[in-house]
């Protein structure tokens, strides 16, 4: 009992130190000529919905503007106009009341297949609908565009992994298709502009719907209204796309305790000149099968997150090594389980391995989690850490407490730095300063990274196990859309159904467009 008390005290000290560390640090879319706006129209009044184009540069850590989930594309200015039908001087007919149809179809290389259909549509007045002669010089409503645009792309990733284990651990070497997905995203305009995304495909042993959502344009006070299947606002490592993170898989602590992609509805926006963000959403778990995350079934979540860009310095494009930023964030999750079952589990940060820590089904009426995150970018160097703590309210006996944390560091040997998305409070796609070009001195971008993570799913009568991992990573970005990853490391598992050491060697080559 003395040893158990001492171990418990060590764990509490570890949690306190992690919290102290975290809180202590204070597309491009070219339009065809036929889609250019007609400047000859002169409306009497305009109600305008607008979003500035994303202008992401490889040597700037701050992406000034963005729209949730939509990568590198300008969003058109959509206008609802009030205009008159008075004939112009000289009796020359204008095109102000003409209905014009346009379409575009183009392959944009690494930016995928682009489709667009639009129509400039004046609405008929009530007199015209009744077949009567319209009144002259009377205000009428005119929709500048009815539009449907789409970017169609795909993601393909192949993994290979080899393991060395002892104790009662038994992991099989394997080569598998890690992800194969088709994705479509873009804008749709009927009365109000919205953005959308659908991403569906294959992960080992099953097909899954990864994302399917619709996002409104900016709404005063509410920000962006998003509903569908997407990433809840919790966990920087999970919110950042799998194609943009430095490691092959998220940290085990977030895999176990933070929610994966779920169905829900969310509001949020950047504030304070895009130096801070907030997001709040209601989600239902177990509706779609997620790759990782909280494994509870039939539950509801209320999840919120706030972030703050505590410090930033954007250097001129010719001096990317002088870019600086400090990101801080806090998130919380209140979970109610209608089926009275809560469950947490995690792999050893290798998707081809099985679950090594697992609480099993816990008879509980709900749970809550709080997480803190910090990221510091200094030119090619990125330091990042998160800590997450979950309290489970059991239907009987004592409450349970589970905990996890990680700390990572990455450095771009070739001088790039990690771009930052101000709208989502997360990191964006790496763009090499020079793409790989054999014989012409272009080697792409090379990144070295290391991460330590610890996850504790063992408390009272629940023995889910503890897992500590240390992994090193080398990433070769041949192009902004092509990456080859090499990962090696190991760790120790104890306290649950599995007990022993594991050494991991794995690699991934991934392409997306």
């Amino acid at each position: 009992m003395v040893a158990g008390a001492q171990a418990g005290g060590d764990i509490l000290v570890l949690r306190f130190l992690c919290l102290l560390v975290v809180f202590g640090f204070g597309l491009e879319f070219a339009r065809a000529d036929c889609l250019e706006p007609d400047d000859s129209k002169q409306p009497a009044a305009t109600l305008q919905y607008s979003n500035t184009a994303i202008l992401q540069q490889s040597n700037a850590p701050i992406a000034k503007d963005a729209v949730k989930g939509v990568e590198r594309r300008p969003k058109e200015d959509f206008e609802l106009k009030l205009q008159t039908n008075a004939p112009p001087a000289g009796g020359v007919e204008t095109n102000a009341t003409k209905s014009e149809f346009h379409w575009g179809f183009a392959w944009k290389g690494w930016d995928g297949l682009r489709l667009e259909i639009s129509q400039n549509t004046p609405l008929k007045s009530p007199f015209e609908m009744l077949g009567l002669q319209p009144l002259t010089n009377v205000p009428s409503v005119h929709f500048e565009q009815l539009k449907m645009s789409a970017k169609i792309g795909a993601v393909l990733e192949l993994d290979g992994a080899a393991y060395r284990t002892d104790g009662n651990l038994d992991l099989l070497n394997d080569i598998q298709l890690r992800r194969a997905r088709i994705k479509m995203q873009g804008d749709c305009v009927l009365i109000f502009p919205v953005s959308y995304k659908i991403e569906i495909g294959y992960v080992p042993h099953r097909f899954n719907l990864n994302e399917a959502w619709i996002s409104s344009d900016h709404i005063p006070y509410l920000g962006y209204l998003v509903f569908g299947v997407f990433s809840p606002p919790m966990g920087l490592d999970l919110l950042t796309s799998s194609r943009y993170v430095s490691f092959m898989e998220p940290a085990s602590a977030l895999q176990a305790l933070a929610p994966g992609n779920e169905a829900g509805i969310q509001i949020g926006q950047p504030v304070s000149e895009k130096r801070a963000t907030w997001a709040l959403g209601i989600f239902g778990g177990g509706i779609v099968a997620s790759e990782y995350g909280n494994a509870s079934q039939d539950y509801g979540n209320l999840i919120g997150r706030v972030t703050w860009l505590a410090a930033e310095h954007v250097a001129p494009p010719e001096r990317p090594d002088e870019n600086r930023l400090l990101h801080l964030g806090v998130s919380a999750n209140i979970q109610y389980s209608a089926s009275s079952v809560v469950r947490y589990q995690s792999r050893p940060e290798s998707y081809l391995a099985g679950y090594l820590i697992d609480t099993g089904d816990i008879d509980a009426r709900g749970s809550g989690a709080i997480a803190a995150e910090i990221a510091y970018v200094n030119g090619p160097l990125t330091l990042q850490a998160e800590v997450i703590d979950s309290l489970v309210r059991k239907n009987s006996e004592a409450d349970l407490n589970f905990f996890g944390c990680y700390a990572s560091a990455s450095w771009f040997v070739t001088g790039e730095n990690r771009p930052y998305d101000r709208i989502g409070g997360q990191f964006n796609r790496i763009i090499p300063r020079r793409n790989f070009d054999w014989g012409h001195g272009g080697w792409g971008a090379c990144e070295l990274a290391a991460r330590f993570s610890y996850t504790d799913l063992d408390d009272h009568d629940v023995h889910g196990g503890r897992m500590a991992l240390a992994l090193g990573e080398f990433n070769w970005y041949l192009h902004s859309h092509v990456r080859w990853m090499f990962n090696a490391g190991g760790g120790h598992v104890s306290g649950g159904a599995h007990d022993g050491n594991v050494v991991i060697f794995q690699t991934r080559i991934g392409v997306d467009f």
Side-chain angles (χ1 to χ4, degrees), residues 14 20 27 99-100 209 218 248 279 290 332 340 390 442 498:
L14 175 62
L20 185 63
L27 269 121
S99 177
E100 299 180 357
L209 176 65
H218 187 271
M248 290 178 60
S290 180
S340 299
S390 176
H498 298 94

Side-chain angles (χ1 to χ4, degrees), residues 342-468:
V342 171
R343 185 173 186 175
Y344 299 133
Q345 57 187 9
S346 181
R347 296 180 173 90
E349 298 173 9
S350 175
Y351 200 85
L352 302 187
Y355 293 104
L356 296 188
I357 54 175
D358 189 346
T359 63
D361 292 343
I362 302 173
D363 183 25
R365 60 183 182 272
S367 66
I370 186 169
E373 60 197 53
I374 182 172
Y376 174 67
V377 175
N378 186 346
L381 175 68
T382 299
L383 303 177
Q384 184 172 317
E386 294 189 68
V387 55
I388 183 169
D389 194 277
S390 176
L391 177 68
V392 177
R393 303 298 302 271
K394 296 186 67 177
N395 286 319
S396 60
E397 301 176 351
D399 294 339
L400 303 173
N401 187 239
F402 304 117
F403 168 80
C405 63
Y406 77 88
S408 66
S410 73
W411 177 57
F412 283 94
V413 180
T414 46
E416 289 77 6
N417 63 289
R418 195 165 297 280
Y420 184 82
D421 173 11
R422 287 173 172 264
I423 301 297
Q426 61 203 45
F427 288 109
N428 221 321
R429 182 187 298 273
I430 296 298
I431 301 178
R433 299 169 70 182
R434 299 187 64 182
N435 292 332
F436 177 75
D437 187 4
W438 179 261
H440 295 84
W443 291 99
C446 295
E447 179 185 24
L448 296 173
R451 179 172 69 193
F452 171 80
S453 65
Y454 176 79
T455 310
D456 182 359
L457 302 183
D458 199 339
D459 192 26
H460 291 295
D461 60 335
V462 175
H463 302 292
R466 303 184 185 94
M467 180 163 60

Side-chain angles (χ1 to χ4, degrees), residues 72-88:
R72 296 176 54 79
R73 66 104 172 94
K75 190 169 183 179
E76 307 290 343
D77 291 339
F78 306 114
E79 297 181 346
L80 172 63
K81 297 182 178 180
L82 297 177
Q83 61 187 29
T84 68
N85 59 354

Side-chain angles (χ1 to χ4, degrees), residues 101-425:
F101 177 81
H102 306 284
W103 67 277
F105 178 89
W107 172 254
K108 297 291 185 178
W110 291 108
D111 282 334
L113 179 65
R114 299 299 182 95
L115 307 174
E116 181 173 303
I117 300 172
S118 66
Q119 184 173 9
N120 296 337
T121 309
L123 295 187
K124 291 184 178 181
S125 69
F127 282 86
E128 291 175 298
M129 292 180 182
L130 295 173
L132 302 177
Q133 185 68 25
L135 298 177
T136 321
N137 200 24
V138 174
S140 62
V141 177
H142 172 74
F143 289 107
E144 179 68 13
Q145 281 190 325
L146 300 181
K147 174 185 173 183
M148 177 71 178
S149 69
K151 170 190 170 183
I152 301 175
V155 180
L156 184 66
E157 294 177 343
L158 180 67
D159 279 15
Y163 309 100
R164 296 292 180 269
T165 61
D166 61 20
N168 67 352
L169 301 181
D170 186 16
L171 302 177
L172 299 178
N173 303 338
D174 203 356
I175 297 177
Q176 284 201 38
L177 192 61
R178 174 63 181 88
R179 291 184 182 94
R181 292 179 182 152
I182 299 294
K183 57 181 180 176
M184 182 172 70
Q185 62 190 74
D187 300 320
C188 178
V189 183
L190 293 176
I191 297 178
F192 299 102
V194 297
S195 300
Y196 70 91
K197 183 176 182 181
I198 300 173
E199 186 170 296
I200 188 170
Y202 170 85
V203 295
H205 311 301
R206 61 184 172 85
F207 287 88
N208 81 319
L209 176 65
N210 187 57
E211 290 186 82
W213 53 259
I214 293 176
S215 173
S216 74
D217 201 53
H218 187 271
I219 302 172
Y221 307 109
L222 294 180
Y224 298 98
L225 173 65
V226 188
F227 65 92
V229 176
F230 53 95
S231 297
M234 190 171 200
L236 178 60
D237 219 24
L238 288 180
L239 284 170
T240 302
S241 169
S242 62
R243 299 183 289 279
Y244 309 158
V245 294
S246 297
F247 293 87
M248 290 178 60
E249 302 294 341
S252 63
L254 296 184
Q255 289 190 40
L257 301 174
N261 285 17
E262 297 180 353
I265 182 168
Q266 175 182 303
I267 57 174
Q269 63 180 328
V271 293
S272 300
E273 298 181 345
K274 298 186 176 68
R275 292 290 297 269
T277 71
W278 67 269
L280 180 66
I282 300 174
F283 299 86
I287 298 175
V288 295
S290 180
E291 293 184 30
Y292 24 63
N294 187 326
S296 306
Q297 296 292 319
D298 301 323
Y299 60 87
N301 276 342
L302 176 64
I303 304 176
R305 178 178 183 249
V306 293
T307 69
W308 178 40
L309 198 57
E312 66 166 331
H313 172 70
V314 181
E318 65 274 12
R319 298 200 299 272
D321 58 319
E322 297 180 9
N323 286 316
R324 309 279 191 278
L325 72 84
L326 175 63
H327 161 97
L328 302 173
V330 178
S331 55
N333 173 14
I334 299 174
Q335 174 178 308
Y336 170 75
S337 178
S339 64
S340 299
V341 172
V342 171
R343 185 173 186 175
Y344 299 133
Q345 57 187 9
S346 181
R347 296 180 173 90
E349 298 173 9
S350 175
Y351 200 85
L352 302 187
Y355 293 104
L356 296 188
I357 54 175
D358 189 346
T359 63
D361 292 343
I362 302 173
D363 183 25
R365 60 183 182 272
S367 66
I370 186 169
E373 60 197 53
I374 182 172
Y376 174 67
V377 175
N378 186 346
L381 175 68
T382 299
L383 303 177
Q384 184 172 317
E386 294 189 68
V387 55
I388 183 169
D389 194 277
S390 176
L391 177 68
V392 177
R393 303 298 302 271
K394 296 186 67 177
N395 286 319
S396 60
E397 301 176 351
D399 294 339
L400 303 173
N401 187 239
F402 304 117
F403 168 80
C405 63
Y406 77 88
S408 66
S410 73
W411 177 57
F412 283 94
V413 180
T414 46
E416 289 77 6
N417 63 289
R418 195 165 297 280
Y420 184 82
D421 173 11
R422 287 173 172 264
I423 301 297

